Amino acid sequence: MPMDERTRADVERAEAAIVEHYPRLVRLAYLVLPPSMGRHRKVLTAHGLVQRALPRPGLRRPAGALPAQRGADAGSGYDLVRRRTLELALAYENRQGLAVLLPPVPFVWGLRLFPRAGGADELALDQALSAVPAPVRAALGLWHLEGLDAEVARAVLERAGVADPDAAQRAAGQLDRQTGARAGALLNSGEFDPCTVQARPTDLLRRRQRVRAVAVMAVVLAAGAVALALPGGAKGDRAATAAQQAQDPGRLLRTPNEQWAKTSRVDFTAWPPRGREAGNKELLARALRVWAAPPADARITTTPGTSTRPPAEPPRLLYAGLIDNVMVVVFHDGERLVRYAEPEGATPTLHFARVDNADLTSGAGLVIGRGNGWMRYLIAPWVSDVATRDLLAPDTPPHGLHLAPDGVTDRIATPPEMGGTCGHWPVAEFRSSPRIDDDRSFLVTDLGELAPVHLTYLPPPSAGGAGSGEATGPAALHSWARTACTLRSLRGTGVRSVNSWAYAQQTLPENAGTATWVCNRADTWRGPGRAMVQFQPPAGGPGDPGRITGRAVDTAVCSRFGRHVLSDVHWQAKSGKWYLLAAGSSQVGGIDVTGGVRATAEAPTLAVPAPKEAPAQVAGRLRDGGSLHALRP
């Protein structure tokens, strides 16, 4: 047999490496797989990819051998299966390759498997990992899970098919620094261990309605056999009992009233139950039954990326009471808000919203009631004051809002929807209690979902801005006044927060004043975000809108993991002359224009005469030697 082919002995060494280092390989695969898959699917897929990493006799061995830094525990067989595992996991990032065509094993029906939940640090790292591409997660895993140095990790990434391993390692280093060099310890915790899992049932009642009883029995038995083969699977036989207990109103979790002032986890888990009907077990039982098995005519709404599965264990009760002649119950199960509404004489409704990784601001309120042109908030116990203001009137002071003893606000006007005029944009201004915070204020707005959207602001470099801050100061309010109406395009997309970043200011030709370039970034609860760049010349009024010059979706642009941005626009001076303007963020050291216009600038801004319709390709040169292209509308 030629020496460049895998022999039977090579395959046997690879198999031995998989068996010996199986948990290590599965953890690496789990880290690299896209967070958008969900934890259950990631667990099963990670196991399947590692088991499929075993080569077949006859596969050509790669040129050269990769050095391993774990001594005797990682030989050439391990190098091979690690590379194969990375190749298969990376293929899932863009839904390409053979990895997405074949279902991985094991296959589990009727159970959902989750790694054990970690603390606030693990949750923060998981959210940060969801905002970076797979090669960056792979680089981080090779450093902290495999113990490789940068040079060896780069070689592994390159042979696994990563197009730009250097860029992946730079981004991984930036993420590592942002975690305070704790990423290694966190990645080795139970939060990221797909070999130690908890088992929970899927939608049991709906399955019974759709599948014959005998078939369901067979599937459950098969799922139980597979689950028991995995660590932690012994809990699967108690899953059905747990599901029944989750529908018992007497087992609902109830946080003590003052717990929010005594915990470092300030989110929905710190909310006490409120509302006059919080002790009405009949109402709570009805709400839990409808959640577990919604009637055929029930109205169910969800934010994108939110599951409607029944409760796997007793949820937390947040509210139960009468809101505008509608009986309302709100639960929180650790990952979701579930709002049950029972109109008199009408079919009940359920609204599901994903709120994992909520914090002091994003967990400060929820929409408890809604009508034609109005809504009400139920606010967190740590919010000491609520006011309303109009984003399109930045110089108008906020108006105080009455708050009921149970935390429900008076009615607030809802922002305009797409297709209509945009003459006002009401927002709520919350002030946190000095018992847990520095008595700060922050803005939230309603985009038609259960969880409001947190608005933040980052000033231009000339103002010395160093990080996202609250959008309550004069500069932030005037900036938001010119971009508020663009929020309408985000309605119903599961947005968690929107940051307005004034990334550049530019002196306009012909003494026309100073323009501001603003990048608005919307981050969703499920991870992916979108960015929009606006050119804002001097305005005649505080609410004059800017001009959209660039957009990007499913991107890290304008986030802490994508700090470089560049855009351009054709602009007409009062003289009637047209110019091509471009501006980049602070790390853009030069701009080059090709095509119908040719120009260059050794600065982060550029202004050159150019016909209105002249095509131009604008690119930026970064100070660290990299490059980027301008965002297009």
Side-chain angles (χ1 to χ4, degrees):
M1 177 175 291
M3 290 298 295
D4 62 349
E5 291 186 352
R6 292 288 171 191
T7 66
R8 179 69 181 179
D10 292 326
V11 177
E12 290 177 351
R13 281 194 292 270
E15 181 183 25
I18 290 177
V19 173
E20 182 179 358
H21 304 294
Y22 186 76
R24 178 169 148 191
L25 291 165
V26 175
R27 190 186 286 261
L28 179 63
Y30 182 84
L31 173 64
V32 176
L33 286 169
S36 59
M37 295 176 67
R39 292 191 297 167
H40 169 77
R41 188 178 169 204
K42 278 181 62 179
V43 166
L44 296 183
T45 303
H47 283 273
L49 296 187
V50 172
Q51 294 177 26
R52 287 167 50 203
L54 182 66
R56 296 180 180 179
L59 290 179
R60 302 178 69 86
R61 72 170 83 232
L66 292 176
Q69 295 189 331
R70 293 274 182 123
D73 71 336
S76 60
Y78 180 77
D79 294 335
L80 173 63
V81 294
R82 179 177 59 195
R83 177 177 62 82
R84 285 282 298 150
T85 297
L86 282 176
E87 288 175 349
L88 293 170
L90 288 166
Y92 272 76
E93 181 76 356
N94 298 314
R95 308 292 296 170
Q96 296 176 354
L98 184 62
V100 301
L101 299 180
L102 298 176
V105 292
F107 180 73
V108 176
W109 179 272
L111 288 176
R112 297 190 67 81
L113 307 178
F114 305 95
R116 298 185 182 277
D121 292 338
E122 287 85 350
L123 292 174
L125 177 60
D126 186 57
Q127 185 179 14
L129 291 171
S130 69
V132 298
V136 178
R137 298 192 295 272
L140 206 65
L142 291 175
W143 292 348
H144 294 306
L145 299 180
E146 292 297 293
L148 304 184
D149 62 28
E151 182 179 353
V152 178
R154 185 192 183 284
V156 175
L157 291 170
E158 185 176 19
R159 292 185 177 175
V162 174
D164 192 347
D166 292 327
Q169 290 194 318
R170 285 196 300 270
Q174 182 181 10
L175 190 151
D176 197 23
R177 290 189 294 272
Q178 289 169 345
T179 64
R182 297 192 61 223
L186 296 175
L187 288 176
N188 281 282
S189 68
E191 174 83 10
F192 301 96
D193 183 7
C195 286
T196 304
V197 295
Q198 302 179 78
R200 294 293 185 270
T202 56
D203 192 335
L204 299 176
L205 294 177
R206 288 190 183 182
R207 285 212 316 264
R208 291 177 185 173
Q209 295 172 359
R210 297 175 182 177
V211 184
R212 291 180 304 172
V214 175
V216 172
M217 181 74 70
V219 170
V220 170
L221 291 174
V226 175
L228 289 173
L230 294 173
K235 298 181 181 179
D237 58 352
R238 296 193 296 269
T241 301
Q244 293 177 353
Q245 292 177 347
Q247 298 178 42
D248 181 358
R251 294 179 177 269
L252 287 172
L253 302 181
R254 296 171 180 262
T255 302
N257 286 334
E258 292 296 310
Q259 183 66 29
W260 60 271
K262 305 173 184 177
T263 179
S264 62
R265 183 174 179 179
V266 185
D267 57 14
F268 288 106
T269 62
W271 281 39
R274 286 172 290 176
R276 292 187 177 181
E277 304 298 326
N280 187 338
K281 289 190 175 183
E282 292 184 3
L283 170 64
L284 301 178
R286 288 199 304 273
L288 291 169
R289 284 197 301 269
V290 171
W291 179 4
D297 57 348
R299 182 169 175 256
I300 300 176
T301 60
T302 65
T303 58
T306 305
S307 169
T308 61
R309 67 181 184 274
E313 54 190 18
R316 191 177 311 275
L317 177 64
L318 302 188
Y319 186 87
L322 192 65
I323 302 292
D324 297 292
N325 296 320
V326 176
M327 201 63 75
V328 175
V329 181
V330 181
F331 301 110
H332 176 244
D333 71 349
E335 295 183 353
R336 300 169 294 169
L337 291 176
V338 182
R339 179 182 179 271
Y340 167 83
E342 188 180 86
E344 186 175 359
T347 303
T349 65
L350 288 170
H351 192 161
F352 296 86
R354 181 173 175 177
V355 291
D356 46 330
N357 301 332
D359 55 21
L360 183 146
T361 54
S362 56
L366 59 87
V367 177
I368 194 68
R370 188 185 298 280
N372 186 18
W374 60 267
M375 48 78 67
R376 295 182 191 269
Y377 284 122
L378 173 66
I379 67 166
W382 58 82
V383 175
S384 60
D385 187 49
V386 182
T388 60
R389 67 185 314 147
D390 186 356
L391 272 189
L392 299 187
D395 296 321
T396 302
H399 174 70
L401 191 65
H402 175 261
L403 190 65
D406 61 358
V408 177
T409 68
D410 280 350
R411 292 183 177 184
I412 304 174
T414 53
E417 299 186 11
M418 292 293 290
T421 59
C422 186
H424 69 288
W425 194 280
V427 296
E429 183 170 336
F430 291 176
R431 182 177 295 277
S432 58
S433 169
R435 295 177 62 186
I436 62 169
D437 198 34
D438 54 0
D439 195 27
R440 63 168 165 166
S441 296
F442 52 95
L443 297 185
V444 298
T445 190
D446 172 43
L447 291 182
E449 300 183 85
L450 194 54
V453 176
H454 181 207
L455 303 181
T456 58
Y457 173 71
L458 180 62
S462 60
S468 295
E470 302 305 340
T472 52
L477 292 171
H478 278 82
S479 177
W480 267 109
R482 304 193 64 181
T483 192
C485 291
T486 62
L487 291 171
R488 294 184 293 181
S489 65
L490 301 175
R491 186 179 296 273
T493 58
V495 173
R496 171 181 178 149
S497 63
V498 183
N499 182 47
S500 180
W501 174 29
Y503 72 85
Q505 289 181 312
Q506 182 176 23
T507 301
L508 296 175
E510 302 185 18
N511 297 317
T514 301
T516 302
W517 295 79
V518 176
C519 185
N520 289 326
R521 177 175 176 83
D523 285 313
T524 62
W525 286 98
R526 62 191 183 278
R530 61 176 67 185
M532 179 195 71
V533 175
Q534 268 195 338
F535 170 71
Q536 297 180 351
D544 286 355
R547 179 176 169 185
I548 298 175
T549 63
R551 300 177 189 269
V553 298
D554 294 334
T555 179
V557 169
C558 297
S559 74
R560 56 178 177 162
F561 303 111
R563 299 182 182 274
H564 308 314
V565 61
L566 173 68
S567 192
D568 63 276
V569 67
H570 286 275
W571 173 80
Q572 187 179 30
K574 289 184 178 180
S575 65
K577 187 175 182 179
W578 283 90
Y579 292 84
L580 175 68
L581 309 178
S585 49
S586 60
Q587 291 303 307
V588 175
I591 299 176
D592 299 312
V593 185
T594 56
V597 181
R598 292 191 172 272
T600 188
E602 301 301 322
T605 60
L606 173 145
V608 294
K612 177 182 179 181
E613 303 297 338
Q617 289 77 48
V618 179
R621 287 175 273 118
L622 299 176
R623 300 184 191 278
D624 64 2
S627 63
L628 77 162
H629 295 285
L631 294 180
R632 309 306 304 169

